[in-house]
Amino acid sequence: MARAFEFVKDITDRKDLWKVVVKVKDKWSGTKDGKEYFEIVVVDSKGDDILVLVPHELKQKFEIEIPIIVNKTYTMQNFQVSKNDDKFKPSHHEFKLRFNDGTLVNDVNVHQIVDPVPNFKSFTEINYGHFREDYLYDIIGMVDELGFQQPHPGNRKVQSNFVLRDLGNNVINCTLWENYALKFFNLQNKSNDGPIIVFMKYAKIKAAGKYALTISNTWTTTKLFINEDVREIIEFKKSLTAGIENGTITAVAETPSQMMSQSSGRTQFTPYTPEQKFYHNAEVMPLSKIVQLPQLGISDPLSYPVQMDDIAGKTLPVKVKWQVKWKTDSVIGIHDSPEFALDIQSQFPPLDSFGEIDPLFAYKYSDELDEQWKVYAGNHLHTLTWNKSLEQPLITNGWTGLRDHFHWESQFHKIDLVYYGENMFHLLLNLTQPCSTNEFPSFHSLSTKPPEPLTFDFVVSNDSNGSREPLVFTKWLGDYITSFHSYLVLEGPVVEPHLAEIIQTQGSNGVKEIEYQAWHKFCSENFLSSGDKLKFTFFDIARSNRVDVDVDRAAN
């Protein structure tokens, strides 16, 4: 007797001999241990879906001999059933399927199954925390306001941050990364009018913590549509037009400049307050540093904005574009809040003598260093105050006492401190001669030296089961690296560079590691063995996530 058809919602791991009629909803490819595979999400006539993995050894069969194509229907039977324990789950089914040698696929387009309709996740539900971080969701909304934009690789990954608004005027932050962000920038550059509608299938949601609640893309699974002629966007635009006409939807930003400049009175979800917009793409610095900036452009030095008549005698935050050739600047922003002026002033180095500290040292010892440092210089004890910043660590108080004690008269002095632990330092007196700016260490804000390479070592090892041990960073090193990059390009000795994500280990108090599958692939394709000594080198960690990996291979 032929096996009867069963429904997707009934699938469990109590057996493997399931037989279902399904339509292929979506498909994408991936790589594991250097081998390509693909995954599909299939849906049955009741609208229930499940994730299916087609492994490398069956990929050719189901791409060429019996091609599995999106929007076609099939009868599928005989699978390996397991728990759906993926880090990000495009299907919310408790189980997932894997094709094996006994899997049978036939009846191509014999059965009729209606096209699946996206189950959009409500912004209201998301804002109230009714979601799971390991589930992927369908999201749609219009771009309401632009936030931080990084269109080119640099100190940060390519990214676009903006606020999405739904048809109920609910808003939520959204961040697109890498190729997804590039798609947004391309559309934005071509779009001159009309709202930007973003439709994401399989988007992930990150709960509020260090950063605000945010929707973002996965590395490969997310499908992104922006102002495209797909059914979902067309229907959203129709509802948007009707809502504007009947007054249930407030004004819509239609250009990038409107998105940057509008202020809707929101506080909880807007990525930029007026003060943050003032900071946008600007750096706080004193005039003494501005005049040392490299030449970026020239404009008329006699062109002053008319606002100059209204600000004489006031203390105001001013945003300027510095013109190197004329040693003058163009005012491009003024803020009239006294409180904001005080906030700006607090970020300038103190008028008292101050010292800049190597950020790498600050990260390494931040967990044990207090604000007060005890510095022994000869037979004298001095107290210095650290601002406890990891991004711009400074000694803010105490240098004047050192200058007076040692009669330092030059503007700059290079001082080496030896750290003994428990906030105790020793000052090396023979290294306190005056120095010019071209002798400053590379971490100093006025230094002209190229950055010092950052290196660390790691020994490849296997666990008791013979599996490769993960690459786990010491906490300070992981925090320091991820202050610049969340992904690394590992350039080994054999094959092309590998892109690897840095993730947080499970239950390890914030310790970070290289994502295991990427690390395992890197080791395998570079023929690394247990006992091999690796030397990792960042030549300019602030500007590049590329890491050279040299190998000292263990003797056989």
Side-chain angles (χ1 to χ4, degrees):
M1 179 183 296
R3 184 179 297 274
F5 294 127
E6 297 161 295
F7 292 109
V8 164
K9 69 178 179 62
D10 298 322
I11 293 177
T12 69
D13 58 357
R14 63 182 175 84
K15 67 175 185 178
D16 291 330
L17 301 179
W18 295 93
K19 182 178 181 181
V20 293
V21 173
V22 292
K23 171 175 280 192
V24 178
K25 181 179 177 182
D26 280 298
K27 176 182 178 182
W28 57 87
S29 299
T31 303
K32 182 178 181 180
D33 298 334
K35 298 179 180 180
E36 291 187 0
Y37 63 91
F38 69 85
E39 291 179 311
I40 55 177
V41 174
V42 298
V43 60
D44 66 10
S45 60
K46 290 183 175 291
D48 297 305
D49 62 30
I50 194 168
L51 178 67
V52 183
L53 169 67
V54 180
H56 173 76
E57 58 270 20
L58 297 175
K59 180 174 181 289
Q60 182 174 356
K61 175 180 178 179
F62 290 106
E63 283 192 336
I64 298 176
E65 299 175 24
I66 310 174
I68 294 180
I69 300 172
V70 174
N71 288 331
K72 287 194 174 182
T73 60
Y74 304 86
T75 298
M76 298 181 178
Q77 56 184 321
N78 307 335
F79 315 91
Q80 178 183 339
V81 184
S82 62
K83 283 284 188 180
N84 186 5
D85 57 358
D86 291 353
K87 181 179 180 181
F88 297 113
K89 302 173 176 62
S91 171
H92 301 174
H93 199 291
E94 183 181 357
F95 298 92
K96 61 182 178 180
L97 307 178
R98 178 187 175 99
F99 278 16
N100 55 38
D101 291 334
T103 300
L104 178 64
V105 177
N106 54 21
D107 293 343
V108 182
N109 272 352
V110 170
H111 304 279
Q112 298 297 317
I113 298 178
V114 298
D115 290 338
V117 177
N119 183 20
F120 289 116
K121 188 65 175 176
S122 161
F123 283 20
T124 301
E125 288 185 322
I126 295 173
N127 287 329
Y128 277 105
H130 299 160
F131 63 87
R132 284 177 48 171
E133 288 192 317
D134 62 332
Y135 280 0
L136 301 180
Y137 297 96
D138 295 337
I139 301 292
I140 193 168
M142 55 184 163
V143 178
D144 194 46
E145 185 170 356
L146 294 180
F148 176 77
Q149 308 293 307
Q150 178 80 26
H152 306 290
N155 292 347
R156 297 181 175 91
K157 291 187 298 182
V158 174
Q159 59 181 282
S160 176
N161 297 270
F162 49 85
V163 172
L164 278 180
R165 178 149 57 105
D166 66 9
L167 296 173
N169 289 316
N170 302 296
V171 293
I172 196 166
N173 288 341
C174 182
T175 299
L176 298 178
W177 300 97
E178 301 292 355
N179 290 335
Y180 294 89
L182 291 176
K183 180 174 182 177
F184 181 83
F185 290 133
N186 290 336
L187 184 282
Q188 186 183 5
N189 292 334
K190 297 175 182 177
S191 178
N192 294 320
D193 54 14
I196 297 178
I197 311 301
V198 174
F199 166 35
M200 299 172 70
K201 299 175 69 174
Y202 312 120
K204 63 180 182 180
I205 306 173
K206 180 69 174 177
K210 181 179 179 181
Y211 302 103
L213 173 71
T214 306
I215 298 169
S216 63
N217 59 273
T218 63
W219 188 245
T220 56
T221 306
T222 302
K223 308 290 184 182
L224 175 64
F225 305 88
I226 307 175
N227 277 10
E228 298 176 41
D229 291 331
V230 296
R231 178 185 58 194
E232 293 78 8
I233 292 181
I234 292 172
E235 292 300 320
F236 186 92
K237 286 184 175 179
K238 289 180 180 177
S239 299
L240 176 62
T241 300
I244 293 174
E245 291 176 351
N246 62 32
T248 60
I249 297 177
T250 55
V252 176
E254 297 190 348
T255 67
S257 60
Q258 288 175 339
M259 295 173 196
M260 280 298 296
S261 62
Q262 70 174 353
S263 175
S264 58
R266 295 189 302 269
T267 56
Q268 187 175 359
F269 303 108
T270 303
Y272 281 110
T273 64
E275 288 75 20
Q276 289 172 323
K277 290 178 183 178
F278 189 88
Y279 279 127
H280 184 63
N281 284 338
E283 180 180 351
V284 178
M285 65 176 64
L287 290 174
S288 59
K289 184 177 178 181
I290 290 178
V291 297
Q292 300 185 47
L293 292 174
Q295 184 166 337
L296 299 176
I298 301 172
S299 64
D300 188 346
L302 299 179
S303 177
Y304 297 100
V306 295
Q307 290 92 335
M308 290 294 292
D309 296 337
D310 300 324
I311 64 176
K314 296 182 179 180
T315 300
L316 299 171
V318 179
K319 189 174 183 178
V320 302
K321 180 177 181 180
W322 181 247
Q323 307 300 332
V324 176
K325 181 175 181 179
W326 307 106
K327 284 189 168 51
T328 187
D329 51 57
S330 301
V331 177
I332 58 175
I334 298 175
H335 200 291
D336 60 1
S337 167
E339 292 78 13
F340 186 50
L342 291 174
D343 181 68
I344 290 283
Q345 287 177 320
S346 69
Q347 299 184 54
F348 282 101
L351 295 177
D352 187 17
S353 298
F354 67 94
E356 296 191 29
I357 304 168
D358 188 347
L360 195 60
F361 173 83
Y363 268 94
K364 188 171 185 178
Y365 296 103
S366 62
D367 288 342
E368 63 180 87
L369 285 172
D370 296 330
E371 289 183 345
Q372 301 298 316
W373 294 1
K374 299 176 181 178
V375 179
Y376 289 89
N379 296 323
H380 296 273
L381 174 63
H382 299 266
T383 301
L384 304 181
T385 302
W386 173 40
N387 66 353
K388 299 211 65 151
S389 169
L390 298 181
E391 306 303 327
Q392 189 180 10
L394 299 174
I395 293 297
T396 56
N397 292 304
W399 284 129
T400 298
L402 282 177
R403 293 178 66 92
D404 293 343
H405 180 80
F406 291 105
H407 307 291
W408 297 333
E409 296 181 356
S410 299
Q411 182 178 3
F412 302 113
H413 281 266
K414 179 177 180 292
I415 298 173
D416 280 6
L417 299 175
V418 180
Y419 182 49
Y420 291 112
E422 296 184 355
N423 300 290
M424 297 176 60
F425 296 80
H426 175 67
L427 173 63
L428 298 182
L429 296 176
N430 60 330
L431 296 178
T432 58
Q433 299 299 315
C435 62
S436 60
T437 53
N438 60 7
E439 297 174 341
F440 286 5
S442 59
F443 65 81
H444 198 282
S445 60
L446 299 182
S447 176
T448 57
K449 287 184 177 181
E452 296 288 338
L454 169 64
T455 64
F456 64 93
D457 298 325
F458 181 79
V459 178
V460 179
S461 61
N462 295 335
D463 62 20
S464 58
N465 297 319
S467 300
R468 182 75 69 232
E469 289 279 9
L471 194 166
V472 180
F473 299 102
T474 55
K475 187 176 187 306
W476 73 266
L477 182 60
D479 289 345
Y480 182 71
I481 293 173
T482 52
S483 70
F484 298 101
H485 311 290
S486 297
Y487 287 83
L488 300 181
V489 178
L490 303 178
E491 191 161 354
V494 179
V495 297
E496 292 297 314
H498 284 65
L499 184 68
E501 185 178 10
I502 301 177
I503 62 174
Q504 185 164 308
T505 59
Q506 296 294 324
S508 298
N509 194 27
V511 176
K512 298 177 176 64
E513 66 179 349
I514 295 290
E515 190 276 321
Y516 185 76
Q517 297 299 335
W519 171 240
H520 188 275
K521 177 181 178 182
F522 175 80
C523 292
S524 175
E525 297 192 359
N526 283 279
F527 305 106
L528 301 181
S529 303
S530 181
D532 288 350
K533 298 179 181 178
L534 308 183
K535 182 177 183 180
F536 294 76
T537 303
F538 291 89
F539 288 100
D540 188 352
I541 190 171
R543 295 179 178 273
S544 173
N545 65 343
R546 186 172 295 270
V547 190
D548 278 9
V549 185
D550 296 319
V551 184
D552 182 6
R553 298 191 184 275
N556 295 328

